[in-house]
Structure formats: structure tokens, C-alpha cells
Amino acid sequence: TALNCGVSLNEAGVFEKYNVKILGTPIQAIIDTEDRKVFAERVNEIGEKVAPSCAVNSVQEALDAAEKLGYPVLARAAFSLGGLGSGFANTAEELRVLATQALAHSSQLIVDKSLKGWKEVEYEVVRDAYDNCITVCNMENVDPLGIHTGESIVVAPSQTLSNLEYNKLRSTALKVIRHLGIVGECNIQYAVSPTSNEFYIIEVNARLSRSSALASKATGYPLAYVAAKLSLGLRLPDIRNSVTGSTTACFEPSLDYCVVKIPRWDLAKFARVCSKIGSSMKSVGEVMSIGRCFEEAFQKALRMVDENIKGFDPSIRPVDDAELEAPTDKRTFVLAAAFSAGYTIDRLYELTKIDRWFLHKMRNIIEFQSILESLNQGTLSRDLLLQAKQLGFCDTQIATFVKSTELAVRKFREEVKVLPFVKQIDTVAAEWPAMTNYLYLTYNGSAHDIAFNRGSTMVIGSGVYRIGSSVEFDWCAVGCLRELRRLGRKTIMVNYNPETVSTDYDMVDRLYFEEISFEVVMDI
């Protein structure tokens, strides 16, 4: 990676020889966070705890460390991206295989005590060279620890932390980042016990990561832009918040909505590939949806990942306890089938270790689906239709349940005035006056946040990255937007991929962070 390259150049004395000044985070801070042994020592200096682990350099040392920690253990390579060469080992033989693979492309291996089943929470933190420090966004993984963040369904802001837990983790994040001397943006990951107030720091990434792109799009806070300014030595209070125009970058964004990120896997395109997901990353892209409640955002996101899926559908996969316990890329739909088959929340918690709060929300969707299935188009009332839309059901889903067609449901919805409201992401949850062009649709509202002017040209984005469709398609969309602007046309962008340039709100006159479907495009 570029970081490893920079560290090597520094050690070889190249920067010193040519008098090159390093901007932003000092190189020592990068070494402190990437070298797991040094990182543990640095964190212990301020009385915080990392998960019990040992840094080793050979297979034999790894086996000795595992004996000391007790199986199961998590083995992961240092100085690597995307959980490369990591995995869980329940026996010495499994660890021997993992350690051999990991040490083939890294000089150091970390053997961690397994905290499988704990909650995984992360905070995005920004600090300037004058020690002003804020947390921009906190995120919670729906999947428990043991599944890489890039493989996990992630929700922002966190939904299941108590106020005490939230503030304790926030204070710790600021303390650690100040101690490490990071300048710019970084992300800190925690393992939080589901049964007590205990927590461990898993790692700190002293750089922009995939989580940073998500946090930036989820909050509307331009992390990369701010981090670049901080590297140049600017102070946080001197940088303008480009969304409100009146507040500074030295504030913590407030979210009056819920964001759900779901990864996209393309495992079906490869023969002989294992569909189990775990501590190393297999996903090729991700989607981000915005709603006013978890159910709404969750169902939207499922449709974004795959246009053939209409929501949290129990008919896609059969119930399978083994798949619930050892997750695959399709576990979400096994969960839906399990709810449909009458599994209790407690039984599903034991199998999946997904927090009960999320399981209750998922069950709400399945329960409402059975209400809709008992109706037909003639008996579907306005109130039930509105409730369905507030829980994230699309017209096609509702049409299937009430034995009708998408167009008939749409016509009925327009007749009874069940229409979405356009809300803006203003980073300040309407505490300050803010006019922004960063928008989403929701049925959990009572008024539009903006006024509409006619005569815009809509550009449809290319959606989620997948094998065979990546950044080059987004480049086409951005090229189109720039050309339209040059011609003096007002532009609207519809896309839902947080990793793209087309979803930067300064590229267009209006950005709808929404799913790309007949229903939504026609609503806009």
C-alpha cells in the first residue's frame, strides 16, 4: 500500500536526503497504528485496553501465542488492507494453515483472543495540528464481531448503544487519537460486550478508509476535503462547513435519519468459490440508503444491492440453521425465512448474535408482510398503504402481496396522496438554517424541505460497483453532468453508491441519494 511505501522510504532515509516534508499525520503515528505490537503498547500507556493479543513473526510463535491465549483465536496480518490473510482458528492445525498464508505477504502476524459475538462499533475522528478534535460519525455493524466491516451491514448512527456507552467510546476515541498525534482524519474500531460495559479497541486506521467514504456520505461532512486542509496546517474552526455556509468544520454532525450500508458480493460469477463471509473481505462494492427509520432504510438498501430483489423477502432462501450460524452472502434472506417460519428472537440471537434490537426491526417487516398478504387491492386502505411505505415496502412488493400490479398500486397511491417527502441532509439536523442540495425521499415525513423548480435534466447513476461495472461508468455520469452544466442546464443526479464522485453534492444542482427504479425515478 501507499502507507507501507511511505514508511519504507522514510526508513531508507529518502525523505531526509531530499528534504521532503511530510504533511498531516506524522510517519511515527502511522507505524504506531499499523504495527500491532507497538499499537498495543501505545494504547496501554493511557490506560485503555486492546483485545488480548500477541504479535508474532513465525508459525511456531503463532502456535505458542494461541496456546497462551486459548482457542478460538483470530489471526490477522499486520500492514495489510481488507483483512487480507485473516481468519478464525479453532485448532492448532487451522492456525498453522492461516499463519503460513498470512506470513507469505506480511512480516508480522497478530493472534487475537476471539471476541466473536461482540458488537463492533466504529467512530470517525478528525483532529487538527492544534489539538482541536471531534468525532464526525459513529457507526454500528449489524453483524457481530468476526465479520470484516467491509463485509458487514453497517448502520449510522449506532442504534443499540446506551447514552453512557456512546459517550464513553467517544471520549476514548478522542483520548487515543490525541495520544497518537494523528493530524487529519482517522477511524477507530471497538469491540463492545453485549452483556456488560466492557469494551476493547480493535484498531485505529490513521488514514481515509472505506468507512470514511461511508461516514462522509452518511453525514454530509466532507471528510477528505477537511483532512486535506488540516494536512496543510489549517485549524478546524477556520474551515467553513460547505453545507451550511455559516458554521465551521469544528462541529459534530447531527443525524435526523438512519443510514444503512450493505455490501455487494459477486460470488456467483466464480466457480468453486466459498460463499461464507468472515474476517477477510470478499465484497466488490457497497450501497448506502437513507430513511427515517431502520426498516425503511434497510429494505431500500436490499433493493439497491440487487435490482431483482424487492426487499426483505422470505422466499429467496430456505431456512438453514447452519447458514445462520456461519454466515454467507445470503444470510439476510435466511433470516427473513426464519422469521416467516416462526423462529423466536431469542433463538435467532443465539444462532446469529445479531443484536435483538435489529432482529425486532426485521421481524416488524415480516409481520407487516403477512398483514398485506391477507388483503387484496380492493381491501387495501390508505392507512395500511402508508404504513407499508413507511416500513420501506416498494410498490412492486405491495402489488405482489395484494395480488395486483405495480402500476395499479402506484395509481391508487397517487389517488389517495400517499407520496414521498423530499428531505435534505444538512449535517445539523435543522438546528441551524441550512439549504443543501443533498436529498433523499422518505414516507416518514410531513413536509418537503425544499421548493421545486422545473426544467432540470436528470442523470441516472450506474449504482453499485460489481464485477464488470466499476468506476469507469461513474466517470461517464460525471462527464455528462459537467457537460450539461457547461451548457447552462440545471442537473439532477440519482445514485446510491457512497464510493463515487457522482454522489459528491458539489457535482450537481441536486443530488438524490436514492435507489434507481421506475417507482423512485418517476416520484422524483
Side-chain angles (χ1 to χ4, degrees):
T1 65
L3 286 185
N4 293 347
C5 179
V7 170
S8 301
L9 285 167
N10 186 56
E11 285 168 355
V14 174
F15 293 147
E16 201 178 347
K17 182 181 172 184
Y18 294 102
N19 199 19
V20 175
K21 184 172 185 258
I22 304 301
L23 300 177
T25 299
I27 285 183
Q28 191 51 49
I30 291 165
I31 296 169
D32 289 352
T33 55
E34 292 289 323
D35 186 314
R36 307 297 176 179
K37 187 165 182 276
V38 178
F39 176 64
E41 288 163 3
R42 295 283 280 148
V43 168
N44 291 334
E45 283 169 15
I46 50 170
E48 297 297 344
K49 292 188 297 187
V50 293
S53 66
C54 298
V56 299
N57 304 96
S58 71
V59 176
Q60 191 51 51
E61 283 179 20
L63 294 169
D64 296 344
E67 287 303 324
K68 201 165 81 182
L69 292 167
Y71 289 96
V73 293
L74 168 63
R76 54 201 175 113
F79 299 98
S80 68
L81 284 176
L84 190 69
S86 70
F88 284 91
N90 296 307
T91 63
E93 204 35 60
E94 287 177 18
L95 180 59
R96 189 185 295 279
V97 174
L98 274 173
T100 309
Q101 286 173 350
L103 288 167
H105 48 70
S106 175
S107 58
Q108 189 189 58
L109 178 72
I110 318 308
V111 180
D112 289 309
K113 184 175 172 54
S114 169
L115 299 172
K116 234 179 182 172
W118 284 40
K119 290 193 231 183
E120 189 169 351
V121 177
E122 48 188 316
Y123 281 68
E124 291 294 324
V125 187
V126 167
R127 178 180 175 269
D128 67 16
Y130 306 89
D131 210 25
N132 297 305
C133 198
I134 59 163
T135 58
V136 171
C137 182
N138 90 311
M139 296 174 280
E140 175 176 7
N141 289 11
V142 172
D143 299 290
L145 203 74
I147 296 174
H148 191 282
T149 306
E151 299 284 274
S152 185
I153 297 173
V154 176
V155 181
S158 60
Q159 303 291 315
T160 71
L161 295 181
S162 66
N163 197 36
L164 175 73
E165 286 173 320
Y166 173 85
N167 283 299
K168 196 158 66 171
L169 296 179
R170 179 185 171 277
S171 305
T172 302
L174 300 182
K175 192 165 133 189
V176 170
I177 300 322
R178 284 184 164 134
H179 182 63
L180 291 169
I182 289 164
V183 175
E185 193 274 346
C186 70
N187 125 308
I188 180 165
Q189 293 174 5
Y190 296 102
V192 181
S193 166
T195 52
S196 67
N197 281 334
E198 198 180 3
F199 69 89
Y200 292 115
I201 296 166
I202 303 171
E203 66 177 2
V204 169
N205 290 312
R207 55 183 165 80
L208 285 154
S209 62
R210 267 204 355 184
S211 301
S212 317
L214 178 70
S216 188
K217 296 288 161 80
T219 57
Y221 188 100
L223 275 171
Y225 171 85
V226 170
K229 297 282 187 200
L230 297 180
S231 297
L232 295 171
L234 271 74
R235 290 163 61 238
L236 266 173
D238 295 341
I239 302 169
R240 275 267 154 263
N241 171 3
S242 52
V243 174
T244 60
S246 55
T247 54
T248 74
C250 197
F251 78 102
E252 301 197 345
S254 317
L255 277 63
D256 53 358
Y257 49 85
C258 171
V259 167
V260 174
K261 176 219 95 175
I262 300 184
R264 156 95 186 200
W265 295 273
D266 262 347
L267 304 180
K269 288 184 176 161
F270 301 97
R272 303 194 304 280
V273 128
C274 172
S275 63
K276 283 194 168 51
I277 56 172
S279 60
S280 66
M281 222 161 75
K282 293 179 181 175
S283 61
V284 290
E286 60 190 29
V287 305
M288 183 185 108
S289 70
I290 308 165
R292 281 285 170 107
C293 66
F294 174 76
E295 294 95 329
E296 181 180 39
F298 179 56
Q299 292 223 84
K300 266 189 189 183
L302 288 171
R303 290 191 288 273
M304 290 170 174
V305 173
D306 185 344
E307 56 278 0
N308 300 316
I309 286 167
K310 297 304 169 208
F312 192 50
D313 185 347
S315 65
I316 290 174
R317 298 285 280 200
V319 184
D320 179 359
D321 284 12
E323 201 169 339
L324 289 169
E325 240 175 319
T328 67
D329 55 332
K330 296 281 188 284
R331 172 162 82 167
T332 308
F333 302 108
V334 182
L335 264 172
F339 279 121
S340 210
Y343 277 51
T344 63
I345 297 279
D346 287 340
R347 181 162 178 212
L348 284 171
Y349 175 73
E350 286 312 314
L351 287 167
T352 63
K353 290 290 187 274
I354 291 173
D355 192 281
R356 288 180 176 84
W357 187 90
F358 292 116
L359 293 173
H360 274 285
K361 294 291 182 185
M362 290 174 191
R363 189 174 68 182
N364 288 350
I365 297 170
I366 299 297
E367 283 176 351
F368 200 80
Q369 177 176 328
S370 32
I371 293 171
L372 289 173
E373 284 173 334
S374 66
L375 305 169
N376 58 41
Q377 175 88 47
T379 53
L380 178 64
S381 67
R382 182 191 186 277
D383 285 352
L384 281 172
L385 178 60
L386 178 60
Q387 253 180 294
K389 298 306 284 181
Q390 287 174 336
L391 288 173
F393 287 97
C394 67
D395 288 353
T396 321
Q397 265 174 304
I398 298 167
T400 309
F401 302 147
V402 301
K403 298 161 269 304
S404 180
T405 65
E406 180 183 5
L407 286 175
V409 171
R410 182 179 183 81
K411 190 163 179 284
F412 175 59
R413 192 160 63 73
E414 286 170 344
E415 281 166 9
V416 295
K417 300 273 185 289
V418 173
L419 300 167
F421 291 100
V422 176
K423 293 289 176 190
Q424 60 183 6
I425 290 179
D426 59 6
T427 72
V428 288
E431 290 170 30
W432 296 83
M435 276 316 291
T436 157
N437 61 348
Y438 188 5
L439 312 167
Y440 66 98
L441 303 183
T442 180
Y443 286 85
N444 293 287
S446 52
H448 294 301
D449 281 358
I450 57 166
F452 301 99
N453 45 13
R454 296 267 168 240
S456 298
T457 305
M458 190 190 294
V459 179
I460 310 288
S462 57
V464 65
Y465 287 164
R466 59 197 87 189
I467 302 287
S469 165
S470 186
V471 70
E472 66 280 10
F473 288 89
D474 194 63
W475 183 82
C476 296
V478 172
C480 182
L481 290 169
R482 285 179 174 160
E483 184 62 15
L484 285 165
R485 272 190 154 179
R486 196 182 65 76
L487 296 171
R489 300 292 292 270
K490 289 247 180 282
T491 53
I492 292 174
M493 181 75 210
V494 186
N495 204 359
Y496 52 78
N497 186 339
E499 302 175 273
T500 57
V501 177
S502 64
T503 51
D504 288 348
Y505 55 82
D506 52 359
M507 292 304 305
V508 278
D509 294 306
R510 282 200 174 155
L511 165 66
Y512 283 89
F513 217 102
E514 270 303 327
E515 52 185 298
I516 297 167
S517 65
F518 170 75
E519 176 187 334
V520 174
V521 171
M522 294 313 288
D523 282 340
I524 293 170

